[in-house]
Amino acid sequence: MTKSWQTKLIHSEAKIPEGYKSLATPVFRGSTTLFPSASVVNDHWDQHKIGYTYGLYGTPTALELAARIGELESGRHTILMPGGQGAIALINLAMLQSGDHILLPSSVYYPNRKLTTQLLARFGVTPGFYDPLIGEGISALIQDNTRLIWTESPGSLTMEVQDIPAIAAAAHARNVKVVLGNTWSAGVLFDAFDHGVDITMQAVTKYIGGHSDLLLGSVTVRDDAIYQRLGAARQVLGCGVSPDDCSLALRGLQTLAVRLSAIEKSALQIANWLADCLEVERVLHPALPSCPGHEFWKRDFLGSSGVFSIVFKPGPTKEQVHAFVDGLKLFKIGYSWGGVTSLVNSYNIGRIPGRPPYEHRIVRLNIGLESTHDLIADLQQSLPNLRA
Ligand SMILES: *Cc1c(COP(=O)(O)O)cnc(C)c1O
């Protein structure tokens, strides 16, 4: 059949040599993947089992990133979502039904709390919030209809490190699954499955992405039945991920070790410097004894990353804390963390039940890759704003 030029635009026979072996995973863009014959066409989401069926369930670029995160976390299956919050939502929507009860630490990532109290509550799921330092005491809060216990270690902003093995033992005794938000450890500084966790999630946006230029989330499990529930839910929720973002995350993985170790060292120096400042009441860095649950960090973690909080001594007004934040020149103000730029945010946790009485005096820092010396000088020059 001879082809007109219009047809050649779509069905080309142009040839290129085969066998290019790049060190980088190619970016496979595509909604459609072709089937060899009509009889094998199917819409199953588990492409590891069935072969490629549809781009929404993962292109090779996405599946490679998922498999690598699963390998790092020693899980058996990893599913990617368009962001960390999407990963949280997927876990809840896949695992829960009307009438179920779930437990969350009062230190949980705030959008997770909001998902539970504002959306899941409408579907008949009841949440209970617990002290992140509760440990085996969680037993007393488990009801007959409790399905999931969320953990996050360290907790958002207030940085409590949890006794995960104790919580997991109590949960498993009552046939309850344990989920961990493992973003702070980048999935590598805390071995979640070894400590009894059933489901881990990460905001890949943070340390794996590492450069503040992508949004992705991951859910990793060992259990095949949980994987089937998650995969089936993801299919009907219609959440796919961008192969370009996955390609950036694959690049991020290659430098994760060197970035994390530089950030760890710098963050520890800055945290120790802050601990000696007169204005500072407490440094909430898991590797410092002043952090609640520090003993569990010491027992269970392989290192620390670069996000921690400070609490100022009573005195400065909210406006003065804002003036301190605004007075910083290298630390930029913004959400998310884990990139190369140092960030700062102040919070008022006064009105959230179950959280320590730090009110407007808590400030969270994300340490990036600038010179530690310059970052300390920046903090130092803005401290007088607390009294201005
Ligand atoms: C950032 C973050 C998330 C959400 O990730 P996004 O990719 O921003 O949606 C969830 N949990 C924790 C602990 C986070 O820090």
Side-chain angles (χ1 to χ4, degrees), residues 83-85 88 109 152 156 183 203 205-206 215-216 337:
Q85 179 62 14
I88 291 169
Y109 179 65
E152 191 181 313
S156 282
T183 303
T205 310
K206 309 280 171 54
L215 284 152
L216 281 170
W337 41 266

Side-chain angles (χ1 to χ4, degrees), residues 183-211:
T183 303
W184 187 83
S185 94
V188 291
L189 301 177
F190 179 78
D191 187 339
F193 294 108
D194 197 42
H195 290 88
V197 170
D198 301 292
I199 304 173
T200 71
M201 63 75 44
Q202 260 197 85
V204 176
T205 310
K206 309 280 171 54
Y207 283 119
I208 293 180
H211 298 77

Side-chain angles (χ1 to χ4, degrees), residues 65-199:
L65 175 63
R68 286 193 179 213
I69 293 173
E71 181 182 39
L72 283 170
E73 292 196 50
S74 310
R76 201 169 291 131
H77 311 282
T78 295
I79 289 183
L80 296 178
M81 287 292 280
Q85 179 62 14
I88 291 169
L90 175 68
I91 293 166
N92 281 329
L93 292 170
M95 301 300 290
L96 301 173
Q97 61 188 37
S98 177
D100 286 349
H101 172 253
I102 64 172
L103 288 165
L104 305 102
S106 54
S107 54
V108 79
Y109 179 65
Y110 195 71
N112 188 355
R113 178 188 282 259
K114 244 163 80 172
L115 167 74
T116 304
T117 54
Q118 295 185 11
L119 193 140
L120 293 181
R122 282 204 271 124
F123 293 86
V125 173
T126 350
F129 292 91
Y130 67 90
D131 175 352
L133 298 169
I134 198 168
E136 62 184 13
I138 194 94
S139 280
L141 302 182
I142 297 176
Q143 307 175 1
D144 290 340
N145 62 341
T146 305
R147 292 285 165 268
L148 281 186
I149 297 178
W150 271 91
T151 59
E152 191 181 313
S153 187
S156 282
L157 313 182
T158 42
M159 306 302 292
E160 298 89 345
V161 184
Q162 297 196 258
D163 189 349
I164 301 291
I167 291 173
H172 294 158
R174 301 281 295 275
N175 207 18
V176 176
K177 302 289 182 207
V178 177
V179 193
L180 172 70
N182 204 15
T183 303
W184 187 83
S185 94
V188 291
L189 301 177
F190 179 78
D191 187 339
F193 294 108
D194 197 42
H195 290 88
V197 170
D198 301 292
I199 304 173

Side-chain angles (χ1 to χ4, degrees), residues 225-299:
I226 300 179
Y227 172 60
Q228 292 301 319
R229 285 181 83 125
L230 290 165
R234 182 187 189 269
Q235 177 180 38
V236 294
L237 288 169
C239 295
V241 294
S242 151
D244 295 280
D245 286 353
C246 291
S247 165
L248 288 172
L250 282 164
R251 180 204 287 223
L253 276 178
Q254 294 175 334
T255 57
L256 180 64
V258 284
R259 283 186 287 112
L260 271 183
S261 86
I263 284 169
E264 172 176 45
K265 189 164 157 245
S266 187
L268 280 169
Q269 278 181 40
I270 294 166
N272 280 308
W273 181 83
L274 282 161
D276 289 337
C277 288
L278 282 177
E279 295 85 348
V280 174
E281 177 179 278
R282 190 166 193 181
V283 177
L284 303 171
H285 184 303
L288 268 58
S290 52
C291 188
H294 164 72
E295 63 272 29
F296 306 124
W297 174 82
K298 220 164 135 180
R299 184 189 67 188

